[in-house]
Protein backbone atom coordinates (compact mmCIF):
# COMPACT_ATOMS: atom_id res chain seq x y z
CA UNK A 1 0.00 0.00 0.00
CA UNK A 2 1.23 3.49 -0.81
CA UNK A 3 0.73 6.06 1.92
CA UNK A 4 -2.00 8.53 0.93
CA UNK A 5 0.38 11.41 0.16
CA UNK A 6 2.27 9.23 -2.35
CA UNK A 7 -0.99 8.38 -4.09
CA UNK A 8 -1.96 12.02 -4.41
CA UNK A 9 1.48 12.92 -5.76
CA UNK A 10 1.15 10.06 -8.25
CA UNK A 11 -2.28 11.17 -9.42
CA UNK A 12 -1.12 14.78 -9.74
CA UNK A 13 1.81 13.51 -11.81
CA UNK A 14 -0.55 11.39 -13.94
CA UNK A 15 -2.76 14.43 -14.54
CA UNK A 16 0.30 16.44 -15.57
CA UNK A 17 1.54 13.78 -17.97
CA UNK A 18 -1.87 13.11 -19.52
CA UNK A 19 -2.23 16.86 -20.00
CA UNK A 20 0.70 16.77 -22.39
CA UNK A 21 -0.01 13.57 -24.26
CA UNK A 22 -3.26 14.37 -26.00
CA UNK A 23 -3.65 15.34 -29.65
CA UNK A 24 -6.18 18.13 -30.23
CA UNK A 25 -6.91 18.55 -33.95
CA UNK A 26 -7.32 22.23 -34.82
CA UNK A 27 -5.84 23.69 -31.62
CA UNK A 28 -2.73 25.87 -31.78
CA UNK A 29 0.05 23.33 -31.13
CA UNK A 30 3.15 24.49 -29.28
CA UNK A 31 6.65 23.04 -29.08
CA UNK A 32 8.75 22.44 -25.95
CA UNK A 33 9.73 26.15 -26.00
CA UNK A 34 6.09 27.22 -26.01
CA UNK A 35 6.22 28.49 -29.60
CA UNK A 36 3.55 27.65 -32.18
CA UNK A 37 4.71 24.68 -34.27
CA UNK A 38 5.48 25.87 -37.82
CA UNK A 39 5.66 22.71 -39.92
CA UNK A 40 2.88 22.87 -42.51
CA UNK A 41 2.61 20.38 -45.38
CA UNK A 42 4.24 17.87 -43.03
CA UNK A 43 6.61 15.01 -43.68
CA UNK A 44 7.48 12.57 -40.87
CA UNK A 45 10.56 10.33 -40.71
CA UNK A 46 11.24 7.83 -37.94
CA UNK A 47 14.89 7.27 -37.07
CA UNK A 48 15.36 4.69 -34.31
CA UNK A 49 12.73 5.63 -31.75
CA UNK A 50 12.72 9.34 -32.71
CA UNK A 51 10.22 10.95 -35.03
CA UNK A 52 11.30 13.95 -37.11
CA UNK A 53 8.66 16.33 -38.42
CA UNK A 54 9.65 18.46 -41.42
CA UNK A 55 7.41 21.23 -42.69
CA UNK A 56 6.95 24.70 -44.05
CA UNK A 57 7.63 27.51 -41.59
CA UNK A 58 4.86 30.01 -42.40
CA UNK A 59 5.40 32.26 -39.36
CA UNK A 60 5.81 35.26 -41.72
CA UNK A 61 2.25 34.57 -43.02
CA UNK A 62 3.64 34.42 -46.54
CA UNK A 63 3.61 31.61 -49.07
CA UNK A 64 7.23 32.46 -49.93
CA UNK A 65 10.05 30.26 -48.67
CA UNK A 66 11.57 31.07 -45.29
CA UNK A 67 12.59 27.66 -43.92
CA UNK A 68 11.94 23.95 -43.81
CA UNK A 69 11.67 23.40 -40.07
CA UNK A 70 12.68 20.21 -38.26
CA UNK A 71 11.13 19.04 -34.97
CA UNK A 72 11.86 15.87 -33.01
CA UNK A 73 9.70 13.81 -30.67
CA UNK A 74 9.58 10.33 -29.17
CA UNK A 75 5.79 10.32 -28.72
CA UNK A 76 4.33 12.40 -31.62
CA UNK A 77 2.97 14.93 -29.10
CA UNK A 78 5.91 16.58 -27.35
CA UNK A 79 7.91 18.25 -30.16
CA UNK A 80 11.26 20.07 -29.80
CA UNK A 81 12.35 22.42 -32.52
CA UNK A 82 15.81 21.64 -33.95
CA UNK A 83 17.89 23.65 -36.40
CA UNK A 84 16.17 24.49 -39.69
CA UNK A 85 16.66 21.68 -42.20
CA UNK A 86 16.69 23.93 -45.28
CA UNK A 87 16.94 27.69 -45.67
CA UNK A 88 16.87 29.98 -48.72
CA UNK A 89 19.82 30.07 -51.13
CA UNK A 90 19.77 33.32 -53.08
CA UNK A 91 20.06 33.15 -56.85
CA UNK A 92 18.56 29.63 -56.95
CA UNK A 93 15.08 28.12 -57.20
CA UNK A 94 15.01 28.05 -53.38
CA UNK A 95 15.55 31.77 -52.80
CA UNK A 96 13.24 33.67 -50.45
CA UNK A 97 11.17 34.81 -53.43
CA UNK A 98 10.35 31.23 -54.42
CA UNK A 99 7.97 28.59 -53.09
CA UNK A 100 8.93 25.42 -51.21
CA UNK A 101 6.07 23.17 -50.14
CA UNK A 102 5.45 19.71 -48.70
CA UNK A 103 9.04 18.78 -47.74
CA UNK A 104 9.46 15.01 -47.16
CA UNK A 105 12.58 13.10 -46.14
CA UNK A 106 13.69 9.51 -46.78
CA UNK A 107 16.71 7.69 -45.43
CA UNK A 108 18.78 5.99 -48.12
CA UNK A 109 20.36 2.87 -46.57
CA UNK A 110 22.85 2.32 -49.38
CA UNK A 111 24.46 5.76 -49.02
CA UNK A 112 23.57 6.25 -45.34
CA UNK A 113 22.13 9.59 -46.43
CA UNK A 114 18.97 11.60 -45.75
CA UNK A 115 17.30 12.75 -48.95
CA UNK A 116 14.69 15.52 -48.90
CA UNK A 117 12.27 16.15 -51.76
CA UNK A 118 9.86 19.07 -52.00
CA UNK A 119 7.59 20.95 -54.36
CA UNK A 120 9.82 23.65 -55.82
CA UNK A 121 8.13 26.54 -57.55
CA UNK A 122 8.19 30.20 -58.51
CA UNK A 123 5.86 32.61 -56.68
CA UNK A 124 3.11 32.19 -59.31
CA UNK A 125 3.40 28.37 -59.24
CA UNK A 126 4.46 28.50 -62.89
CA UNK A 127 7.62 26.38 -62.67
CA UNK A 128 5.97 23.18 -61.29
CA UNK A 129 9.16 21.38 -60.28
CA UNK A 130 10.50 19.07 -57.60
CA UNK A 131 13.55 20.01 -55.58
CA UNK A 132 15.99 17.76 -53.78
CA UNK A 133 18.51 18.22 -50.98
CA UNK A 134 20.74 15.84 -49.01
CA UNK A 135 22.25 15.57 -45.53
CA UNK A 136 24.08 13.11 -43.30
CA UNK A 137 21.91 13.78 -40.23
CA UNK A 138 18.11 13.87 -39.92
CA UNK A 139 17.76 17.65 -39.47
CA UNK A 140 20.81 18.48 -41.60
CA UNK A 141 21.11 21.32 -42.51
CA UNK A 142 20.55 19.93 -45.99
CA UNK A 143 22.57 20.79 -49.08
CA UNK A 144 20.37 21.86 -51.99
CA UNK A 145 21.00 19.73 -55.10
CA UNK A 146 18.61 21.27 -57.64
CA UNK A 147 15.06 21.63 -58.94
CA UNK A 148 13.66 20.13 -62.11
CA UNK A 149 10.58 18.75 -63.86
CA UNK A 150 10.58 14.99 -63.25
CA UNK A 151 10.77 13.14 -66.58
CA UNK A 152 10.21 16.54 -68.19
CA UNK A 153 6.63 17.06 -66.90
CA UNK A 154 4.99 19.23 -64.20
CA UNK A 155 5.15 18.29 -60.55
CA UNK A 156 3.23 20.34 -57.99
CA UNK A 157 1.80 18.74 -54.80
CA UNK A 158 3.90 15.69 -54.04
CA UNK A 159 4.63 12.98 -51.53
CA UNK A 160 7.16 10.18 -51.17
CA UNK A 161 6.85 6.48 -50.46
CA UNK A 162 9.62 4.03 -49.54
CA UNK A 163 8.56 0.42 -49.98
CA UNK A 164 9.57 -2.49 -47.77
CA UNK A 165 12.28 -3.42 -50.32
CA UNK A 166 13.81 0.10 -49.99
CA UNK A 167 12.69 1.17 -53.46
CA UNK A 168 11.44 4.77 -53.36
CA UNK A 169 8.71 6.56 -55.28
CA UNK A 170 7.63 10.12 -56.03
CA UNK A 171 3.86 10.67 -55.86
CA UNK A 172 2.90 13.83 -57.74
CA UNK A 173 0.24 15.98 -59.34
CA UNK A 174 1.41 16.40 -62.93
CA UNK A 175 0.34 17.83 -66.29
CA UNK A 176 -1.24 21.00 -64.85
CA UNK A 177 -2.69 18.99 -61.94
CA UNK A 178 -4.76 16.83 -64.32
CA UNK A 179 -2.87 13.54 -64.14
CA UNK A 180 -1.57 11.97 -60.95
CA UNK A 181 1.65 9.98 -61.27
CA UNK A 182 3.76 7.59 -59.26
CA UNK A 183 7.36 7.38 -60.47
CA UNK A 184 10.13 5.07 -59.28
CA UNK A 185 13.44 6.52 -58.12
CA UNK A 186 17.01 5.45 -58.71
CA UNK A 187 18.82 3.59 -55.92
CA UNK A 188 20.32 6.87 -54.59
CA UNK A 189 16.86 8.50 -54.34
CA UNK A 190 18.30 11.38 -56.40
CA UNK A 191 15.94 11.24 -59.37
CA UNK A 192 13.00 9.41 -60.86
CA UNK A 193 13.59 6.88 -63.61
CA UNK A 194 10.16 5.69 -64.82
CA UNK A 195 6.44 6.17 -64.22
CA UNK A 196 4.86 3.10 -62.63
CA UNK A 197 1.29 4.41 -62.34
CA UNK A 198 -0.65 7.21 -64.00
CA UNK A 199 -4.19 8.18 -63.05
CA UNK A 200 -5.25 10.28 -66.00
CA UNK A 201 -7.75 13.06 -65.39
CA UNK A 202 -7.88 12.27 -61.67
CA UNK A 203 -7.02 15.82 -60.48
CA UNK A 204 -5.44 14.51 -57.28
CA UNK A 205 -3.02 16.34 -55.03
CA UNK A 206 -1.63 16.23 -51.46
CA UNK A 207 -0.79 12.50 -51.71
CA UNK A 208 0.47 9.95 -49.22
CA UNK A 209 0.71 6.16 -49.25
CA UNK A 210 0.63 3.60 -46.44
CA UNK A 211 1.19 -0.12 -47.01
CA UNK A 212 -0.63 -2.72 -44.98
CA UNK A 213 -0.69 -6.53 -45.51
CA UNK A 214 0.78 -6.07 -49.01
CA UNK A 215 -1.93 -3.62 -50.01
CA UNK A 216 -1.02 -0.03 -50.91
CA UNK A 217 -3.41 2.69 -49.77
CA UNK A 218 -3.13 6.01 -51.57
CA UNK A 219 -4.69 8.96 -49.75
CA UNK A 220 -5.08 12.25 -51.61
CA UNK A 221 -7.28 15.30 -51.96
CA UNK A 222 -8.74 16.72 -55.11
CA UNK A 223 -7.83 20.21 -56.32
CA UNK A 224 -9.64 23.19 -54.78
CA UNK A 225 -6.82 25.60 -53.98
CA UNK A 226 -6.50 26.37 -50.27
CA UNK A 227 -10.13 25.32 -49.70
CA UNK A 228 -10.77 21.85 -48.32
CA UNK A 229 -12.50 19.04 -50.21
CA UNK A 230 -13.42 15.42 -49.42
CA UNK A 231 -10.06 13.58 -49.38
CA UNK A 232 -10.11 10.12 -50.94
CA UNK A 233 -8.50 6.73 -50.58
CA UNK A 234 -7.59 4.25 -53.32
CA UNK A 235 -6.17 0.77 -52.90
CA UNK A 236 -4.12 -1.61 -54.98
CA UNK A 237 -1.99 -4.72 -54.48
CA UNK A 238 0.70 -3.10 -56.65
CA UNK A 239 2.07 0.42 -56.98
CA UNK A 240 1.52 0.04 -60.71
CA UNK A 241 -2.20 -0.46 -60.12
CA UNK A 242 -4.89 -1.00 -61.05
CA UNK A 243 -6.20 1.27 -58.30
CA UNK A 244 -9.68 0.84 -56.84
CA UNK A 245 -12.34 3.49 -57.35
CA UNK A 246 -11.97 6.36 -54.90
CA UNK A 247 -13.68 6.13 -51.49
CA UNK A 248 -14.27 8.79 -48.86
CA UNK A 249 -12.15 8.77 -45.70
CA UNK A 250 -14.62 11.04 -43.85
CA UNK A 251 -18.22 12.21 -44.38
CA UNK A 252 -17.93 14.07 -47.69
CA UNK A 253 -19.94 17.10 -46.53
CA UNK A 254 -17.34 17.90 -43.83
CA UNK A 255 -14.62 18.24 -46.49
CA UNK A 256 -12.37 15.98 -44.39
CA UNK A 257 -13.28 18.00 -41.28
CA UNK A 258 -11.89 21.06 -43.07
CA UNK A 259 -8.45 19.67 -43.84
CA UNK A 260 -6.16 18.46 -46.61
CA UNK A 261 -3.89 15.45 -46.42
CA UNK A 262 -0.17 16.11 -45.88
CA UNK A 263 1.22 12.80 -44.63
CA UNK A 264 0.01 9.38 -43.55
CA UNK A 265 1.97 7.58 -40.85
CA UNK A 266 1.54 3.85 -40.16
CA UNK A 267 0.44 3.12 -36.58
CA UNK A 268 0.17 -0.57 -35.66
CA UNK A 269 -2.59 -2.03 -37.84
CA UNK A 270 -3.96 1.48 -38.46
CA UNK A 271 -2.41 4.81 -39.48
CA UNK A 272 -2.48 8.48 -38.60
CA UNK A 273 -3.96 10.95 -41.07
CA UNK A 274 -1.94 14.16 -40.81
CA UNK A 275 -3.62 17.08 -42.54
CA UNK A 276 -3.52 20.84 -42.74
CA UNK A 277 -6.38 23.25 -42.09
CA UNK A 278 -5.12 26.00 -44.36
CA UNK A 279 -5.89 29.61 -43.53
CA UNK A 280 -4.62 31.51 -46.58
CA UNK A 281 -5.29 34.97 -45.09
CA UNK A 282 -3.12 34.11 -42.07
CA UNK A 283 -1.00 31.18 -43.27
CA UNK A 284 1.01 30.83 -40.06
CA UNK A 285 -2.25 30.22 -38.18
CA UNK A 286 -3.10 27.24 -40.36
CA UNK A 287 -3.73 24.36 -37.96
CA UNK A 288 -2.80 20.67 -37.92
CA UNK A 289 -5.62 18.18 -38.21
CA UNK A 290 -4.39 14.73 -37.19
CA UNK A 291 -6.82 11.86 -36.72
CA UNK A 292 -6.55 8.11 -36.39
CA UNK A 293 -7.10 6.46 -39.78
CA UNK A 294 -8.91 3.30 -38.78
CA UNK A 295 -8.51 0.21 -40.97
CA UNK A 296 -10.61 -2.17 -38.87
CA UNK A 297 -13.60 -2.19 -41.24
CA UNK A 298 -11.42 -2.88 -44.29
CA UNK A 299 -12.36 0.49 -45.76
CA UNK A 300 -10.05 2.95 -44.00
CA UNK A 301 -11.88 5.88 -42.44
CA UNK A 302 -10.90 8.76 -40.21
CA UNK A 303 -11.91 8.13 -36.61
CA UNK A 304 -13.19 11.57 -35.67
CA UNK A 305 -11.75 12.63 -32.32
CA UNK A 306 -11.74 15.97 -30.52
CA UNK A 307 -9.23 14.66 -27.95
CA UNK A 308 -7.14 11.55 -28.48
CA UNK A 309 -3.87 9.95 -27.54
CA UNK A 310 -1.42 7.66 -29.23
CA UNK A 311 0.85 4.95 -27.81
CA UNK A 312 3.61 4.75 -30.42
CA UNK A 313 5.30 1.68 -28.92
CA UNK A 314 2.05 -0.32 -28.75
CA UNK A 315 0.87 1.12 -32.10
CA UNK A 316 -2.53 1.99 -30.64
CA UNK A 317 -4.71 5.02 -30.15
CA UNK A 318 -7.43 6.02 -27.71
CA UNK A 319 -10.25 8.48 -28.42
CA UNK A 320 -11.36 10.36 -25.30
CA UNK A 321 -15.04 10.66 -24.49
CA UNK A 322 -16.63 13.69 -22.92
CA UNK A 323 -19.97 15.02 -21.71
CA UNK A 324 -22.36 16.54 -24.24
CA UNK A 325 -24.48 19.63 -23.62
CA UNK A 326 -26.99 20.64 -26.30
CA UNK A 327 -27.02 24.35 -27.15
CA UNK A 328 -30.82 24.38 -27.50
CA UNK A 329 -31.11 23.30 -23.84
CA UNK A 330 -29.43 26.59 -22.82
CA UNK A 331 -30.96 29.96 -22.04
CA UNK A 332 -31.22 32.14 -25.13
CA UNK A 333 -31.44 35.91 -25.21
CA UNK A 334 -31.66 38.75 -27.69
CA UNK A 335 -31.77 37.77 -31.36
CA UNK A 336 -30.71 34.17 -30.62
CA UNK A 337 -33.13 31.69 -32.18
CA UNK A 338 -33.64 27.93 -32.02
CA UNK A 339 -33.01 26.38 -35.44
CA UNK A 340 -34.32 23.00 -36.55
CA UNK A 341 -32.53 20.65 -38.90
CA UNK A 342 -31.97 16.94 -39.21
CA UNK A 343 -28.18 17.31 -39.20
CA UNK A 344 -28.22 19.00 -35.77
CA UNK A 345 -27.72 16.84 -32.72
CA UNK A 346 -31.16 16.54 -31.10
CA UNK A 347 -32.62 18.11 -34.27
CA UNK A 348 -31.90 21.65 -33.06
CA UNK A 349 -29.19 24.28 -32.76
CA UNK A 350 -29.03 27.93 -31.71
CA UNK A 351 -28.57 30.54 -34.43
CA UNK A 352 -28.36 34.34 -34.66
CA UNK A 353 -25.71 34.46 -31.94
CA UNK A 354 -24.19 37.91 -31.83
CA UNK A 355 -25.58 41.44 -32.22
CA UNK A 356 -26.87 41.02 -28.68
CA UNK A 357 -27.96 37.40 -29.10
CA UNK A 358 -26.43 34.78 -26.86
CA UNK A 359 -26.98 31.34 -25.42
CA UNK A 360 -25.93 30.31 -21.91
CA UNK A 361 -25.41 26.63 -21.26
CA UNK A 362 -25.89 26.00 -17.55
CA UNK A 363 -24.71 23.31 -15.16
CA UNK A 364 -21.61 22.45 -17.23
CA UNK A 365 -19.58 20.22 -14.94
CA UNK A 366 -15.92 21.20 -14.61
CA UNK A 367 -12.98 19.69 -12.75
CA UNK A 368 -11.34 22.91 -11.57
CA UNK A 369 -8.49 22.64 -14.11
CA UNK A 370 -7.89 23.59 -17.72
CA UNK A 371 -10.12 21.41 -19.89
CA UNK A 372 -10.70 20.96 -23.61
CA UNK A 373 -14.18 21.80 -24.87
CA UNK A 374 -15.26 21.05 -28.44
CA UNK A 375 -17.76 23.44 -30.05
CA UNK A 376 -19.91 21.73 -32.67
CA UNK A 377 -21.21 24.40 -35.02
CA UNK A 378 -22.37 25.16 -38.56
CA UNK A 379 -21.07 28.12 -40.56
CA UNK A 380 -22.63 28.27 -44.00
CA UNK A 381 -20.87 31.49 -44.96
CA UNK A 382 -17.89 31.62 -47.28
CA UNK A 383 -15.83 33.33 -44.58
CA UNK A 384 -14.61 32.36 -41.13
CA UNK A 385 -16.61 33.46 -38.13
CA UNK A 386 -15.80 33.35 -34.44
CA UNK A 387 -17.65 33.12 -31.16
CA UNK A 388 -16.94 34.60 -27.77
CA UNK A 389 -17.10 32.14 -24.90
CA UNK A 390 -17.78 33.72 -21.50
CA UNK A 391 -16.53 37.27 -21.47
CA UNK A 392 -13.40 37.12 -23.56
CA UNK A 393 -12.22 33.87 -25.15
CA UNK A 394 -12.57 34.09 -28.94
CA UNK A 395 -12.79 30.82 -30.88
CA UNK A 396 -12.35 30.75 -34.67
CA UNK A 397 -15.09 29.01 -36.64
CA UNK A 398 -13.95 28.15 -40.17
CA UNK A 399 -16.74 27.94 -42.74
CA UNK A 400 -18.19 24.43 -42.72
CA UNK A 401 -19.33 24.34 -46.35
CA UNK A 402 -23.06 24.67 -45.55
CA UNK A 403 -25.55 25.74 -42.89
CA UNK A 404 -26.38 22.10 -42.22
CA UNK A 405 -22.77 20.89 -42.10
CA UNK A 406 -21.32 20.57 -38.61
CA UNK A 407 -17.70 20.35 -37.57
CA UNK A 408 -16.02 20.97 -34.22
CA UNK A 409 -13.31 23.34 -33.00
CA UNK A 410 -11.50 23.05 -29.66
CA UNK A 411 -11.09 25.62 -26.92
CA UNK A 412 -9.24 25.20 -23.63
CA UNK A 413 -10.96 26.76 -20.62
CA UNK A 414 -10.40 26.52 -16.90
CA UNK A 415 -13.77 25.64 -15.42
CA UNK A 416 -14.79 25.76 -11.78
CA UNK A 417 -14.94 22.48 -9.96
CA UNK A 418 -18.65 21.62 -10.23
CA UNK A 419 -21.30 23.63 -12.08
CA UNK A 420 -20.42 26.34 -14.61
CA UNK A 421 -22.45 28.57 -16.92
CA UNK A 422 -20.93 29.19 -20.35
CA UNK A 423 -22.25 32.00 -22.52
CA UNK A 424 -21.69 32.00 -26.28
CA UNK A 425 -22.11 35.17 -28.30
CA UNK A 426 -20.14 37.29 -30.77
CA UNK A 427 -17.92 40.07 -29.51
CA UNK A 428 -17.93 41.98 -32.76
CA UNK A 429 -20.91 43.61 -34.45
CA UNK A 430 -21.44 40.40 -36.37
CA UNK A 431 -22.83 36.93 -35.88
CA UNK A 432 -21.11 33.81 -34.61
CA UNK A 433 -21.73 30.45 -36.26
CA UNK A 434 -24.81 28.41 -35.29
CA UNK A 435 -24.04 26.38 -32.16
CA UNK A 436 -25.25 22.77 -32.14
CA UNK A 437 -23.70 21.38 -28.94
CA UNK A 438 -20.55 21.34 -26.86
CA UNK A 439 -18.60 18.37 -25.55
CA UNK A 440 -16.59 18.89 -22.37
CA UNK A 441 -13.52 16.69 -21.88
CA UNK A 442 -11.63 16.03 -18.65
CA UNK A 443 -8.24 16.48 -20.37
CA UNK A 444 -6.61 19.86 -20.53
C1 LIG B 1 9.29 16.73 -23.79
O1 LIG B 1 10.55 16.59 -24.42
C2 LIG B 1 11.60 17.23 -23.72
C3 LIG B 1 12.90 17.08 -24.53
O2 LIG B 1 12.70 16.70 -25.82
C4 LIG B 1 11.76 16.64 -22.36
O3 LIG B 1 12.77 17.36 -21.65
C5 LIG B 1 10.45 16.71 -21.60
O4 LIG B 1 10.57 16.00 -20.38
C6 LIG B 1 9.32 16.08 -22.42
N1 LIG B 1 8.07 16.26 -21.74
C7 LIG B 1 7.17 15.28 -21.62
C8 LIG B 1 5.92 15.62 -20.89
O5 LIG B 1 7.33 14.17 -22.09
C1 LIG C 1 16.82 14.34 -62.95
O1 LIG C 1 16.44 14.00 -64.25
C2 LIG C 1 16.02 15.11 -65.06
C3 LIG C 1 15.53 14.57 -66.36
O2 LIG C 1 14.30 13.91 -66.15
C4 LIG C 1 17.20 16.07 -65.20
O3 LIG C 1 16.78 17.19 -65.93
C5 LIG C 1 17.65 16.49 -63.84
O4 LIG C 1 18.80 17.30 -63.93
C6 LIG C 1 17.98 15.30 -62.98
N1 LIG C 1 18.28 15.75 -61.65
C7 LIG C 1 19.34 15.35 -60.97
C8 LIG C 1 19.52 15.93 -59.60
O5 LIG C 1 20.13 14.54 -61.40
C1 LIG D 1 -2.80 8.16 -69.68
O1 LIG D 1 -2.50 9.04 -70.74
C2 LIG D 1 -1.30 8.71 -71.43
C3 LIG D 1 -1.05 9.77 -72.49
O2 LIG D 1 -1.02 11.04 -71.90
C4 LIG D 1 -1.41 7.34 -72.09
O3 LIG D 1 -0.18 6.99 -72.65
C5 LIG D 1 -1.78 6.31 -71.02
O4 LIG D 1 -2.05 5.07 -71.62
C6 LIG D 1 -3.00 6.75 -70.24
N1 LIG D 1 -3.19 5.83 -69.14
C7 LIG D 1 -4.35 5.32 -68.84
C8 LIG D 1 -4.39 4.36 -67.68
O5 LIG D 1 -5.37 5.60 -69.46
C1 LIG E 1 -14.37 37.56 -35.86
O1 LIG E 1 -15.15 37.51 -37.04
C2 LIG E 1 -15.49 38.79 -37.60
C3 LIG E 1 -16.38 38.55 -38.80
O2 LIG E 1 -17.47 37.75 -38.49
C4 LIG E 1 -14.22 39.51 -37.98
O3 LIG E 1 -14.54 40.80 -38.45
C5 LIG E 1 -13.29 39.60 -36.78
O4 LIG E 1 -12.05 40.14 -37.20
C6 LIG E 1 -13.04 38.22 -36.18
N1 LIG E 1 -12.27 38.37 -34.96
C7 LIG E 1 -11.17 37.64 -34.74
C8 LIG E 1 -10.50 37.91 -33.44
O5 LIG E 1 -10.75 36.82 -35.53
Amino acid sequence: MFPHYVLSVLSAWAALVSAETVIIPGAPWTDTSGDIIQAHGAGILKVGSTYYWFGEDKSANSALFSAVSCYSSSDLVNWSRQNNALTPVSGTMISNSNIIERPKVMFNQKNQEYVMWFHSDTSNYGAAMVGMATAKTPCGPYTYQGSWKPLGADSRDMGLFVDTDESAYLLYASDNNQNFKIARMDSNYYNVTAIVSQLNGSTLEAPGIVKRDNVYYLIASHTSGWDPNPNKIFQSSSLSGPWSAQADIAPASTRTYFSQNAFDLPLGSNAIYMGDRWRPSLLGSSRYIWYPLDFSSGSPRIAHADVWSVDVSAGTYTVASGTTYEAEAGTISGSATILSGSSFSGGQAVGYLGNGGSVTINNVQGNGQAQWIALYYANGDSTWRNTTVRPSTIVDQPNTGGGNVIISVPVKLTLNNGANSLTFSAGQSSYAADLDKIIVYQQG
Side-chain angles (χ1 to χ4, degrees):
M1 269 303 267
F2 288 116
H4 180 261
Y5 75 89
V6 174
L7 278 178
S8 47
V9 168
L10 280 175
S11 63
W13 177 80
L16 209 81
V17 168
S18 75
E20 296 181 351
T21 55
V22 285
I23 296 176
I24 313 293
W29 293 3
T30 50
D31 63 17
T32 49
S33 303
D35 296 322
I36 296 284
I37 294 179
Q38 285 292 338
H40 309 280
I44 305 274
L45 180 71
K46 191 178 186 194
V47 180
S49 57
T50 304
Y51 294 92
Y52 291 91
W53 176 0
F54 302 88
E56 307 156 27
D57 185 328
K58 296 283 196 238
S59 49
N61 289 322
S62 164
L64 299 180
F65 181 42
S66 65
V68 172
S69 56
C70 185
Y71 293 81
S72 68
S73 174
S74 57
D75 61 9
L76 295 174
V77 178
N78 183 30
W79 293 97
S80 303
R81 189 159 185 163
Q82 310 294 325
N83 60 275
N84 287 331
L86 190 69
T87 48
V89 180
S90 62
T92 74
M93 270 294 293
I94 66 161
S95 77
N96 59 14
S97 55
N98 289 108
I99 300 244
I100 301 292
E101 290 178 348
R102 301 185 178 273
K104 315 279 181 244
V105 174
M106 306 167 280
F107 180 63
N108 184 281
Q109 296 280 357
K110 180 175 73 106
N111 299 334
Q112 294 289 298
E113 187 176 50
Y114 296 89
V115 185
M116 176 191 292
W117 285 59
F118 49 87
H119 172 193
S120 179
D121 225 319
T122 44
S123 59
N124 65 359
Y125 291 91
M129 294 180 171
V130 283
M132 193 267 289
T134 56
K136 286 291 178 190
T137 53
C139 292
Y142 284 70
T143 305
Y144 176 55
Q145 304 292 354
S147 299
W148 67 94
K149 282 182 181 285
L151 302 165
D154 289 351
S155 177
R156 289 198 175 88
D157 272 12
M158 45 65 70
L160 301 176
F161 177 69
V162 180
D163 209 341
T164 34
D165 66 359
E166 301 293 327
S167 60
Y169 299 83
L170 176 67
L171 327 171
Y172 58 115
S174 189
D175 306 334
N176 202 24
N177 287 348
Q178 296 306 299
N179 303 328
F180 178 76
K181 297 174 183 172
I182 301 176
R184 190 182 169 101
M185 294 190 188
D186 62 38
S187 62
N188 296 319
Y189 303 171
Y190 290 164
N191 213 336
V192 291
T193 55
I195 290 173
V196 299
S197 216
Q198 181 161 331
L199 283 78
N200 288 343
S202 58
T203 65
L204 296 176
E205 60 179 15
I209 284 182
V210 289
K211 186 183 188 181
R212 162 136 355 288
D213 297 332
N214 290 313
V215 177
Y216 300 88
Y217 294 89
L218 164 67
I219 297 126
S221 76
H222 281 287
T223 48
S224 49
W226 296 104
D227 291 335
N229 60 61
N231 287 214
K232 304 291 182 179
I233 195 159
F234 305 75
Q235 60 185 70
S236 173
S237 55
S238 163
L239 284 172
S240 52
W243 294 90
S244 67
Q246 63 182 17
D248 284 312
I249 57 169
S253 64
T254 69
R255 301 175 302 169
T256 331
Y257 304 106
F258 201 123
S259 70
Q260 180 182 39
N261 187 53
F263 194 82
D264 307 283
L265 183 72
L267 175 74
S269 55
N270 295 299
I272 302 178
Y273 165 88
M274 299 174 162
D276 295 292
R277 177 171 290 167
W278 297 113
R279 187 172 188 176
S281 62
L282 204 57
L283 268 180
S285 293
S286 300
R287 300 291 178 226
Y288 310 107
I289 304 293
W290 292 8
Y291 288 123
L293 191 59
D294 190 285
F295 283 68
S296 59
S297 73
S299 176
R301 298 272 291 181
I302 283 177
H304 182 262
D306 294 315
V307 176
W308 62 289
S309 58
V310 59
D311 181 334
V312 291
S313 47
T316 55
Y317 69 87
T318 306
V319 175
S321 56
T323 305
T324 297
Y325 299 87
E326 293 291 344
E328 64 271 22
T331 307
I332 66 170
S333 75
S335 58
T337 304
I338 304 277
L339 307 175
S340 295
S342 57
S343 63
F344 298 132
S345 161
Q348 293 183 321
V350 178
Y352 297 93
L353 293 170
N355 269 344
S358 69
V359 59
T360 299
I361 303 179
N362 297 302
N363 203 22
V364 175
Q365 294 298 310
N367 63 18
Q369 292 167 16
Q371 290 175 253
W372 286 106
I373 301 177
L375 275 51
Y376 283 71
Y377 71 95
N379 171 8
D381 298 331
S382 57
T383 55
W384 291 38
R385 288 193 180 273
N386 49 66
T387 189
T388 305
V389 190
R390 296 202 292 202
S392 58
T393 305
I394 293 177
V395 187
D396 290 321
Q397 298 175 307
N399 52 314
T400 57
N404 56 356
V405 181
I406 293 141
I407 65 171
S408 62
V409 284
V411 59
K412 198 190 228 181
L413 292 178
T414 300
L415 300 183
N416 297 325
N417 197 8
N420 294 259
S421 291
L422 297 181
T423 298
F424 298 84
S425 60
Q428 286 80 17
S429 58
S430 60
Y431 287 102
D434 302 334
L435 188 64
D436 183 15
K437 65 179 180 185
I438 64 170
I439 301 182
V440 178
Y441 294 90
Q442 292 304 307
Q443 292 85 350

